[in-house]
């Protein structure tokens, strides 16, 4: 399985069977993304919530690739209202897809579409495929139930926001890693806009000082999991 980071909260998972899963594909609007919407393919698009920096280029990619959207019920209905295929889920629920299992978790944040439609609760997501568990926190503040998430599922890769202002900043994100106990922490949602400037290497140092592993992914980098 491969994990690619575009920038912000946008990732691509490619399973060993070749299924491509995009998470929060905000590409054209990110000054840091080396990839443009027309560069990517998708079998599945997972949206953690409806904010423009997460919904991103999902629809223009979907126009070309005809993926299945996977999101919480209200956001799935929004995608369907725009003519796309979507699988409705909700927080706490998991489902076995072709690529593996996907489960939504809580996230403390908001969720409104760019055209001002309420899109249900924001979420984090755990994707389990090829024997690995990847937890993408979505946009969220720190919450103590991350401890429960880590106890229920051994997280291999935790993709978590560190940019502050809208989400956890570095101090809270370090605590999030301690609570969740992943094998590797990967920072996201930083340095896209001036208001979320944060130093990922400061986060890495602080995480490693607590005895955890951290991988700062470069924009456009793809790693084997
Ligand atoms: Ni957001
Ligand atoms: Mn965001």
């Amino acid at each position: 399985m491969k994990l690619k980071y575009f920038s912000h909260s946008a990732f691509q998972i490619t399973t060993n069977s070749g299924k491509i899963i995009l998470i929060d594909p905000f590409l054209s609007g990110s000054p840091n993304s080396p990839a443009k919407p027309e560069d990517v393919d998708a079998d599945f698009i997972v949206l953690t919530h409806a904010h423009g920096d997460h919904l991103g280029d999902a629809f223009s990619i979907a126009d070309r690739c005809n993926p299945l959207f996977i999101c919480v019920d209200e956001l799935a209905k929004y995608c369907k209202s725009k003519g796309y295929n979507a699988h409705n889920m909700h927080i706490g629920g998991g489902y076995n897809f072709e690529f593996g299992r996907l489960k939504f978790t809580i996230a403390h944040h908001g969720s409104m579409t760019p055209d001002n439609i309420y899109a249900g609760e924001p979420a984090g997501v755990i994707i389990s495929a090829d024997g690995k568990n990847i937890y993408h926190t979505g946009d969220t503040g720190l919450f103590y139930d991350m401890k429960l998430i880590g106890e229920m599922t051994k997280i291999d890769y935790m993709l978590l926001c560190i940019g502050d202002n809208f989400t956890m900043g570095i101090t809270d994100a370090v605590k999030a890693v301690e609570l969740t106990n992943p094998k590797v922490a990967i920072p996201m949602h930083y340095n896209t806009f001036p208001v979320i400037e944060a130093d990922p290497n400061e986060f890495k140092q602080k995480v490693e000082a607590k005895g955890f592993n951290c991988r700062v992914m470069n924009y456009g980098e793809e790693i084997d999991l």
Side-chain angles (χ1 to χ4, degrees), residues 42-60:
D43 297 301
F44 300 89
I45 296 180
V46 179
L47 300 175
T48 61
H49 64 295
H51 285 157
D53 59 318
H54 297 260
L55 186 59
D57 300 292
F59 292 156
S60 69

Side-chain angles (χ1 to χ4, degrees), residues 101-186:
R101 187 167 176 82
L102 183 148
K103 182 178 181 182
F104 280 113
T105 73
I106 59 170
H108 292 298
H109 194 65
S111 185
M112 183 86 85
T113 69
D115 49 351
N116 291 321
I117 293 168
Y118 169 70
E121 294 295 303
V125 63
I126 300 170
I127 294 175
S128 303
D130 299 335
K132 299 281 196 310
N133 298 310
I134 300 169
Y135 171 33
H136 183 296
T137 64
D139 280 5
T140 187
L142 177 64
F143 56 90
Y144 197 73
D145 280 359
M146 286 179 178
K147 185 171 170 60
L148 184 61
I149 290 170
E151 284 177 2
M152 298 289 289
T153 307
K154 178 61 199 167
I155 302 299
D156 295 286
Y157 296 88
M158 182 180 189
L159 321 177
L160 77 168
C161 33
I162 67 162
D164 218 346
N165 194 77
F166 300 112
T167 68
M168 296 184 284
I170 288 175
T171 302
D172 285 11
V174 171
K175 177 57 75 174
V177 172
E178 290 185 79
L179 290 172
T180 311
N181 191 29
K183 287 186 184 156
V184 182
I186 296 175

Side-chain angles (χ1 to χ4, degrees), residues 1-2 13-21 98-100 129-130:
M1 184 164 51
K2 288 183 161 69
I13 293 169
T14 307
T15 66
N16 292 341
S17 62
K19 294 293 174 205
I20 299 174
I21 305 152
E98 259 181 285
F99 59 80
D130 299 335

Side-chain angles (χ1 to χ4, degrees), residues 45-51 55 58-59 62 67-91 97 102 104 111-113 117-123:
I45 296 180
V46 179
L47 300 175
T48 61
H49 64 295
H51 285 157
L55 186 59
F59 292 156
L68 180 69
F69 281 87
I70 305 172
C71 7
V72 301
D73 182 67
E74 294 85 350
L75 183 50
K77 283 177 177 150
Y78 176 75
C79 294
K80 287 177 176 174
S81 79
K82 300 286 185 185
Y84 301 102
N85 299 320
H87 181 98
N88 305 42
M89 296 183 69
H90 232 301
I91 290 163
F97 292 90
L102 183 148
F104 280 113
S111 185
M112 183 86 85
T113 69
I117 293 168
Y118 169 70
E121 294 295 303

Side-chain angles (χ1 to χ4, degrees), residues 183-203:
K183 287 186 184 156
V184 182
I186 296 175
M188 65 177 185
H189 210 273
Y190 63 89
N191 289 352
T192 318
F193 316 111
V195 76
I196 58 169
E197 274 176 16
D199 179 359
N201 289 311
E202 179 191 337
F203 171 72

